[in-house]
Amino acid sequence: MLAPLRRLLSALGLQNRDTPSDLLEPAELARWYSGLGPDERAAVSRELASRVRAPRPLRDPATLPAVATGRLIFEHDGPQGPIPLHHLKVELWDRDPGAPDDFLGEGFTDDDGHFAVRYDPADAGLGDLPDLELRFFEPQHTFRKDGRIVESWRRIGAQRGPDDHGGHSYDFGTLRLPYWEYDPSTPLARLLVTEQGTPPTAYAPGRSLAMLKAVAPIELVKRQHLLQIRLGRAPSIAGLQADYPEPMTVRMERQEPGSTRGDAFFGERLLNGMFATVMDRDPEAPGDPSAFRLYFPWNAYEQDGLHCQPDVDVRLRLVEGRLLPVRIILGLREPGATAPGSPTTRRTFTPEDGARWEAAKRIARVSATLDTELGNHLGQCHFNVEQYAIAAHRNLRRNPLRWLLMPHMREVVLINHSANGFLVGPNGYITRASALTERSVDARLLHLMGSYDWRGFAPAAPVCEGHRYAHAAQLFWRVLGEHVDAFFAEHGGAVEAQWREVRRFSDDLVAHSVPAFVCRYLRARVSGKDAPWFVRSERMDLDAKAAEPPPKAVSAVTHTDVPQPGELDALKQLCRYVIFFATFRHAWANNLQWEDAGEVLYSSLGLRWGKGGGLPESEEDLDAAPPPDEATEMLWISWMLSKTNYGFLLANEEDDVHPRLVELLRARAAEFAALGLDVRTISSRINI
């Protein structure tokens, strides 16, 4: 047992003396080695294996006398049965408890998950029969400054074989590996993480420090507020707000009272704030290029009866380059009504209505905030990108596509796993702070996910010169086009050569996406019809997706193992789409939350019915505002999400993003800055 350690001592130069005990006794080193974790042992073994053993001439694997075989499949079967784990690296080792293990050989699983590793039992050491162990590895990469790829391998699992194996063949059989499995308990494409388990990936170390730096100062503030509430000394909304850093709207109100409650600011934030979204023309004003509409259909969902969350129909008009609200129609339930589709009373408000107009704008802001959190942020970025991340990790290993996509999908499943209980679910903040129940949050997310598709997507055109978000989105989209085109010009041949991985990626993506969702209004007014008021560029193809039975929301890239005409361009479009939402779109919705949701009375996720169970009439009606515990939590969340940043595109901390994209963005930094966007604040992936 100590012979390998003596060889280790020799390799380290520790036995050049007559009395090696002057340094480390083999038994002492054995105790040290046995105290290491599995990954640390593997690192020591891998580093020293070539020096511990006497050098051997290179040999043709076919001439080696022994072979270990088997098959790797996913833990969960698909509709057609077992799913092979293709192109994983497999290493065969001789376990030496208390000493560095001996490397015996390596291979890769084939398209069907089968592997065969040939080895020489003598590599286990003189007089030692090998104790077999399989180790499984997934590929990792970094980029050098010149764009060259550096590959490495990350261990993801192991399987013990027999001890003291003296035969010349051993079949490990079919091994099920729980690897990037889909969660069968949800209709969304979500990663399965068991209650006591951990996701198959981890945050970069620097992200934890970024979180601590951002959250530590306000964590004490929130805890103090919650303690005061428990002691029956709840702080006022004004006092609570003053304990947090000053957000944009509070600062503006201090400098110019009323500035953030005006009509011009309302329209500006709908164009360029965290709420920035697709701006349709007003269907009731055909031919008028200055008329626009936003609609939030909350009455379609179950509500808790405690919050006032009506349907909100906002009509806007461009006036001298500014987008101004001109009419707000609210579809109000009776207080306490909870059922989806409850009877409503429509009330219309215009600027001539004074205080009631201000109250209607506040309700519209709250609706926009909730819609942004569930739609633009959680749905379209977090959960949408997760479905591409799972399919990519399950299937992309030999294909160079991995180098292009993986840097932008590396941590999204981790932050989404945290959201399961933190934001959504029975006790999630969105469920508690808004009118939507757990069931209606799930229904809304299902409908949203049913409306997202990569095919045909392009950022919508700006509605005016001051539409900075749309100008920046189009500029970023063009940059991504250059980046993706250049990548495929360099690696397109290799992408096509490994097209079977693309097909399996596409198959997984489509199979686990939700059915396409087209609401009754759009079916009646848009699908199959000429509707010039409806912006189609950012939406899925309603004509195709409105079919019955509904097709899958996500379109397939390919159905064959060899690319067909047009499919390489389709793949490029998919890559561009995923990177866009994992970087620019998420940054815009996430990073502006403290600006647009950092003041309790300006905006929140929900307003309660006001005094006497009526429509909240003013900000002074604190019965309508969030209670103190939800208010401090709202401010804590907004700050944490906006201020915790790590993994920036331009910093490229892990060197996993192609330097070309970094340089393309850096070259256009001034153009983005003119639009109010500092490209240094855009993260390379969703990790907050």
Side-chain angles (χ1 to χ4, degrees):
M1 181 63 67
L2 296 180
L5 289 173
R6 293 193 181 96
R7 293 199 299 272
L8 174 60
L9 289 172
S10 178
L12 293 174
L14 300 181
Q15 284 196 329
N16 292 334
R17 308 183 182 191
D18 294 333
T19 55
S21 60
D22 289 345
L23 293 172
L24 282 179
E25 288 286 354
E28 184 180 357
L29 190 56
R31 287 193 298 272
W32 169 78
Y33 182 79
S34 63
L36 298 177
D39 291 340
E40 293 172 312
R41 290 190 192 183
V44 170
S45 298
R46 183 180 297 278
E47 177 66 25
L48 300 178
S50 62
R51 287 181 281 170
V52 169
R53 296 194 307 269
R56 294 176 179 271
L58 292 176
R59 291 171 290 178
D60 182 353
T63 66
L64 297 177
V67 62
T69 59
R71 188 188 188 204
L72 295 184
I73 62 174
F74 284 94
E75 179 73 23
H76 295 142
D77 292 343
Q80 282 75 48
I83 305 173
L85 256 167
H86 59 270
H87 306 164
L88 273 184
K89 186 179 181 181
V90 179
E91 292 185 354
L92 186 66
W93 287 76
D94 164 44
R95 296 187 313 276
D96 277 326
D101 302 329
D102 294 305
F103 174 76
L104 300 179
E106 66 182 17
F108 289 86
T109 59
D110 63 15
D111 289 339
D112 293 320
H114 295 284
F115 64 87
V117 179
R118 301 202 68 87
Y119 69 99
D120 187 346
D123 286 342
L126 185 63
D128 184 14
L129 292 176
D131 304 327
L132 297 182
E133 179 173 284
L134 281 177
R135 298 175 184 175
F136 316 120
F137 297 83
E138 65 179 6
Q140 308 278 285
H141 80 273
T142 57
F143 283 100
R144 297 187 186 276
K145 299 300 182 184
D146 59 3
R148 287 185 297 167
I149 300 289
V150 178
E151 291 275 27
S152 59
W153 298 93
R154 174 177 175 265
R155 181 174 168 177
I156 58 172
Q159 177 68 40
R160 291 173 68 99
D163 292 340
D164 296 326
H165 180 65
H168 280 218
S169 66
Y170 182 76
D171 185 2
F172 280 86
T174 298
L175 304 176
R176 290 184 177 270
L177 206 61
Y179 183 71
W180 289 92
E181 304 288 345
Y182 287 98
D183 186 347
S185 69
T186 171
L188 307 185
R190 301 294 310 281
L191 182 71
L192 174 63
V193 181
T194 58
E195 184 175 354
Q196 300 301 322
T198 56
T201 185
Y203 288 118
R207 191 263 189 191
S208 299
L209 295 176
M211 171 68 80
L212 182 62
K213 182 178 180 180
V215 174
I218 63 166
E219 177 69 20
L220 296 178
V221 174
K222 184 185 73 169
R223 290 186 184 186
Q224 180 183 20
H225 290 162
L226 295 178
L227 178 60
Q228 290 175 302
I229 294 168
R230 285 197 295 272
L231 294 175
R233 300 197 296 269
S236 66
I237 293 295
L240 182 150
Q241 183 78 57
D243 287 340
Y244 281 90
E246 188 177 62
M248 178 185 71
T249 54
V250 170
R251 183 182 69 253
M252 290 179 64
E253 285 299 307
R254 175 171 52 79
Q255 296 171 347
E256 185 181 352
S259 58
T260 67
R261 271 58 171 177
D263 292 354
F265 190 76
F266 180 91
E268 154 65 19
R269 300 319 288 172
L270 289 181
L271 285 179
N272 298 315
M274 65 174 278
F275 317 114
T277 186
V278 178
M279 195 70 65
D280 289 314
R281 305 285 176 177
D282 188 342
E284 296 178 7
D288 184 350
S290 66
F292 296 88
R293 181 198 193 195
L294 285 176
Y295 182 63
F296 305 110
W298 301 118
N299 194 50
Y301 302 97
E302 178 183 72
Q303 297 187 15
D304 63 5
L306 304 175
H307 291 83
C308 174
Q309 193 77 56
D311 285 343
V312 177
D313 188 348
V314 184
R315 306 302 170 97
L316 307 108
R317 183 173 295 277
L318 273 176
V319 180
E320 297 179 350
R322 297 190 303 175
L323 188 69
L324 302 177
V326 294
R327 187 161 45 113
I328 297 176
I329 305 103
L330 302 181
L332 288 156
R333 299 179 173 194
E334 289 297 316
T338 61
S342 291
T344 61
T345 300
R346 287 171 59 85
R347 294 181 61 182
T348 299
F349 302 87
T350 66
E352 286 71 35
D353 290 319
R356 289 184 301 171
W357 171 247
E358 297 304 320
K361 285 194 299 184
R362 185 186 183 195
I363 290 174
R365 274 200 306 271
V366 169
S367 285
T369 304
L370 180 58
D371 184 70
T372 296
E373 290 296 354
L374 281 176
N376 299 357
H377 187 202
L378 190 60
Q380 198 170 33
C381 293
H382 281 258
F383 290 165
N384 187 24
V385 172
E386 179 173 3
Q387 65 183 340
Y388 291 88
I390 298 173
H393 278 95
R394 285 170 63 91
N395 295 288
L396 301 180
R397 280 178 281 280
R398 288 183 181 170
N399 200 300
L401 203 60
R402 172 171 59 83
W403 305 330
L404 179 64
L405 288 179
M406 290 304 188
H408 309 293
M409 303 189 296
R410 59 179 292 165
E411 294 170 335
V412 65
V413 297
L414 296 170
I415 194 64
N416 289 359
H417 179 60
S418 299
N420 290 345
F422 175 58
L423 288 181
V424 298
N427 299 310
Y429 182 75
I430 293 176
T431 310
R432 290 182 286 110
S434 78
L436 301 183
T437 64
E438 178 189 9
R439 182 160 49 192
S440 53
V441 168
D442 290 343
R444 180 63 174 166
L445 286 171
L446 185 66
H447 292 162
L448 289 167
M449 293 295 289
S451 68
Y452 304 144
D453 189 19
W454 58 267
R455 187 177 293 280
F457 175 89
V463 303
C464 61
E465 187 62 30
H467 197 177
R468 293 180 290 103
Y469 164 74
H471 286 292
Q474 291 202 326
L475 176 57
F476 199 91
W477 186 252
R478 291 196 296 273
V479 169
L480 288 182
E482 294 179 44
H483 172 54
V484 172
D485 284 345
F487 184 89
F488 273 77
E490 184 177 1
H491 300 290
V495 170
E496 293 188 64
Q498 297 295 334
W499 195 256
R500 180 170 290 184
E501 287 194 349
V502 174
R503 178 183 180 175
R504 291 183 176 181
F505 166 68
S506 176
D507 288 349
D508 256 352
L509 188 59
V510 174
H512 294 276
S513 71
V514 303
F517 173 74
V518 183
C519 69
R520 286 178 296 177
Y521 179 84
L522 293 180
R523 286 178 182 273
R525 299 291 300 273
V526 177
S527 59
K529 299 176 179 64
D530 180 26
W533 58 271
F534 183 75
V535 177
R536 297 179 184 266
S537 64
E538 290 198 24
R539 271 70 172 257
M540 64 185 183
D541 184 349
L542 295 188
D543 297 342
K545 300 297 184 179
E548 291 294 345
K552 292 291 189 173
V554 177
S555 297
V557 172
T558 182
H559 295 287
T560 63
D561 289 341
V562 177
Q564 303 302 303
E567 290 183 345
L568 204 62
D569 286 335
L571 182 59
K572 291 164 66 175
Q573 164 72 9
L574 180 150
C575 294
R576 198 177 179 187
Y577 172 90
V578 172
I579 300 172
F580 179 85
F581 282 99
T583 57
F584 171 85
R585 190 66 183 97
H586 178 259
W588 197 282
N590 184 78
N591 295 358
L592 293 177
Q593 289 191 85
W594 185 244
E595 293 189 6
D596 287 305
E599 183 187 353
V600 176
L601 296 182
Y602 174 78
S603 188
S604 62
L605 293 184
L607 294 174
R608 297 175 293 175
W609 292 99
K611 294 178 180 177
L615 181 69
E617 293 187 355
S618 74
E619 292 182 8
E620 284 69 35
D621 181 3
L622 297 182
D623 289 341
D629 58 338
E630 290 180 6
T632 192
E633 191 172 0
M634 164 194 155
L635 297 179
W636 183 91
I637 291 172
S638 295
W639 176 272
M640 180 267 294
L641 294 179
S642 293
K643 304 302 181 180
T644 302
N645 290 297
Y646 181 80
F648 295 110
L649 267 174
L650 264 61
N652 198 11
E653 291 97 336
E654 272 67 57
D655 292 323
D656 55 350
V657 177
H658 197 297
R660 180 194 304 111
L661 178 56
V662 175
E663 292 307 315
L664 286 171
L665 287 171
R666 187 173 286 125
R668 291 167 172 79
E671 295 176 65
F672 283 109
L675 298 169
L677 176 64
D678 183 348
V679 292
R680 294 173 299 178
T681 65
I682 301 176
S683 295
S684 64
R685 70 269 197 181
I686 298 172
N687 60 8
I688 189 63

